[in-house]
């Protein structure tokens, strides 16, 4: 068993749980935010869904210039 196999299995489980949670969020509250400086529910969901892509990019990219990306 490679190191990747258990990590991918765990990622699949986490994403399944995240998917179930997102499906339960009522559409009318997607633009709600608990505080003026907080993300909306829609923004937080987008953030969580993008996290696995960051992992892939980290593994496949030799360099990552955070300052140059913004």
């Amino acid at each position: 068993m490679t190191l990747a196999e258990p990590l991918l299995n765990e990622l699949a489980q986490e994403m399944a749980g995240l998917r179930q949670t997102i499906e339960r969020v009522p559409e009318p509250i997607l633009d709600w935010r608990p505080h003026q400086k907080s993300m909306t529910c829609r923004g937080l969901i987008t953030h969580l869904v993008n996290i696995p892509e960051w992992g892939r990019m980290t593994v496949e990219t030799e360099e990552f210039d955070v300052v140059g990306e913004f």
Side-chain angles (χ1 to χ4, degrees), residues 14-69:
E14 291 295 329
M15 294 311 295
L18 178 59
R19 186 176 300 112
Q20 288 177 344
T21 302
I22 291 170
E23 289 171 351
R24 292 179 179 145
V25 175
E27 190 170 337
I29 70 161
L30 289 176
D31 293 322
W32 176 80
R33 61 180 76 220
H35 185 271
Q36 183 179 355
K37 294 182 179 181
S38 299
M39 279 191 211
T40 62
C41 285
R42 183 185 320 272
L44 181 58
I45 290 168
T46 301
H47 173 73
L48 293 172
V49 169
N50 284 326
I51 289 174
E53 177 62 20
W54 301 343
R56 184 200 59 80
M57 186 173 56
T58 301
V59 171
E60 293 180 354
T61 305
E62 291 184 27
E63 292 181 358
F64 183 70
D65 182 5
V66 176
V67 176
E69 295 294 320

Side-chain angles (χ1 to χ4, degrees), residues 1-13:
M1 178 184 297
T2 67
L3 176 62
E5 289 173 15
L7 292 175
L8 291 173
N9 289 337
E10 184 174 347
L11 177 62
Q13 290 176 348

